Amino acid sequence: MSLIAGSYEKFIWGFKLKTLKHEPSSQNLTLTPLFSYQSHLAHITSAAAAGPAAASGSADDTIHLYDLPSASSLGSLHQHTSSVTSVTFFTPPSLSFPRNLLSASADGSVCIFDTDPFVHLKTVLVHKKAVNDLSVHPSGKLALTVGRDECLAMLNLVRGRRSFYCRLGKEASLVKFDLGGEKFFMVTEEKVGVHEAEDAKLLTEFECKKRVLSAAPGENGLLFTGGEDRSITAWDVNSGKVAYCIDDAHSARVKGIVVLMRNDSTVDDPYLLASASSDGVIRVWDVRMSMKEKPNPLAEANTKSRLTCLAGSSHNLKRPQMGASCLKEDPDAAEGE
């Protein structure tokens, strides 16, 4: 498992999560540094990781790419003409490596890339103002975006065009599909709405103590949120109630949450969650412990920088045989509406 974190200081941090060698059967873990260097000319706004690949977006209008197995840089993408606000990979369930990279920017556009190699396929103008967040459906056929124009939009990724656009009445900062793609979540300050993916119907809504800055879907109908309350809360999305909470998980705002599931056959593997704070600390938790008592982090790393985002990859770091993309540019598709 690997984690990458971006910072205001323009640095990218990479870590590998390992079991301590002298206690292989225990839950004692360590975050071993993979790399750390200044990859951008301005602060890093977002990060994504999938299999052996990772990416970071920045206010310098560029996307930087990384190879996790070799802990090396793969170069940069320069298709955007304004700040990159969100990056995400699409990985088919049958593969351990990403097939596409999607990125959003402050000019309201979304770029679609093929990852083999990293080739720009399409740029779609989606919002009238900056895109705040981007989420790809598990099928890879569509994506949702929310923007500063107080709108929700849907992208048809097969045809490369915007297929739906509606006004929300207030600005949403985050949008996330659940693991099955049947629901999606929208965050507006301290409120989180749970919606039906098919028709965007509001199913339930819950309110956090303070503004939500990060969210990640988990298994068994859970959604993890973190933000200005410095805690990590697990919500039951069906009832809208708190399942459990890690109080005071950090000493400052929680800026990133990643749910990590091990892929081997060990029965007693913990259910792992990683979190990053603006105080520079990254922590890894066994969330099952929080149901019984206040847990202690299984692993911790202090970057001593102001972290802005966190991403993780649960797959083994094996260099894949990259295949052709399923998202090919449709010559008849519109560039936006």
Side-chain angles (χ1 to χ4, degrees), residues 41-337:
L41 300 176
H43 69 273
I44 297 173
T45 56
S46 58
S56 60
S58 168
D60 65 3
D61 306 353
T62 67
I63 300 166
H64 205 92
L65 306 170
Y66 315 90
D67 180 67
L68 295 176
S70 62
S72 61
S73 169
L74 296 177
S76 300
L77 301 173
H78 301 272
Q79 271 67 36
H80 288 289
T81 57
S82 59
S83 297
V84 179
T85 56
S86 181
V87 291
T88 187
F89 285 108
F90 165 64
T91 305
S94 59
L95 300 179
S96 60
F97 55 90
R99 182 168 286 176
N100 294 95
L101 171 68
L102 282 81
S103 60
S105 72
D107 63 4
S109 67
V110 170
C111 287
I112 306 171
F113 299 89
D114 188 338
T115 60
D116 183 23
F118 281 95
V119 175
H120 176 242
L121 300 176
K122 190 90 174 182
T123 296
V124 185
L125 183 60
V126 184
H127 290 270
K128 297 179 180 178
K129 294 183 180 180
V131 181
N132 288 333
D133 198 22
L134 167 71
S135 181
V136 180
H137 191 271
S139 68
K141 295 180 179 180
L142 60 92
L144 292 177
T145 60
V146 290
R148 298 196 66 181
D149 56 2
E150 300 183 350
C151 291
L152 167 72
M154 179 184 292
L155 281 172
N156 182 329
L157 297 179
V158 177
R159 296 189 60 81
R161 63 173 59 178
R162 190 179 72 183
S163 59
F164 176 79
Y165 186 75
C166 72
R167 184 166 295 279
L168 300 172
K170 49 189 174 182
E171 181 181 339
S173 57
L174 298 173
V175 62
K176 306 290 179 185
F177 278 107
D178 69 356
L179 298 183
E182 298 176 353
K183 300 181 180 69
F184 69 88
F185 316 103
M186 277 198 301
V187 175
T188 305
E189 295 184 348
E190 70 278 357
K191 292 184 179 180
V192 181
V194 182
H195 298 260
E196 194 75 50
E198 185 175 356
D199 55 9
K201 177 184 177 182
L202 180 64
L203 300 176
T204 185
E205 188 177 59
F206 43 87
E207 188 167 348
C208 303
K209 296 177 182 178
K210 293 185 178 180
R211 186 180 179 185
V212 176
L213 302 175
S214 55
E219 292 189 341
N220 302 318
L222 294 179
L223 176 70
F224 297 93
T225 62
E228 293 183 350
D229 62 358
R230 302 176 300 170
S231 301
I232 299 171
T233 305
W235 297 88
D236 184 332
V237 300
N238 296 315
S239 65
K241 297 181 180 180
V242 175
Y244 50 87
C245 182
I246 304 176
D247 293 317
D248 297 320
H250 290 273
S251 62
R253 299 178 296 173
V254 178
K255 298 301 293 288
I257 296 176
V258 173
V259 177
L260 293 170
M261 286 294 292
R262 294 189 177 185
N263 296 323
D264 55 37
S265 57
T266 305
V267 176
D268 295 328
D269 270 346
Y271 190 24
L272 299 178
L273 181 98
S275 58
S277 172
S278 55
D279 63 4
V281 175
I282 301 171
R283 288 174 174 161
V284 178
W285 313 84
D286 181 348
V287 297
R288 298 176 303 175
M289 299 299 295
S290 62
M291 303 179 189
K292 303 175 182 178
E293 57 189 20
K294 181 175 174 59
N296 292 318
L298 301 180
E300 181 176 306
N302 191 347
T303 64
K304 298 182 180 179
S305 61
R306 294 175 293 170
L307 297 181
T308 59
C309 53
L310 182 71
S313 171
S314 298
H315 296 287
N316 293 327
L317 299 185
K318 295 180 180 179
R319 202 176 306 279
Q321 181 69 35
M322 301 297 281
S325 170
C326 67
L327 298 185
K328 297 301 181 183
E329 184 168 353
D330 183 348
D332 298 324
E335 293 289 333
E337 296 176 21

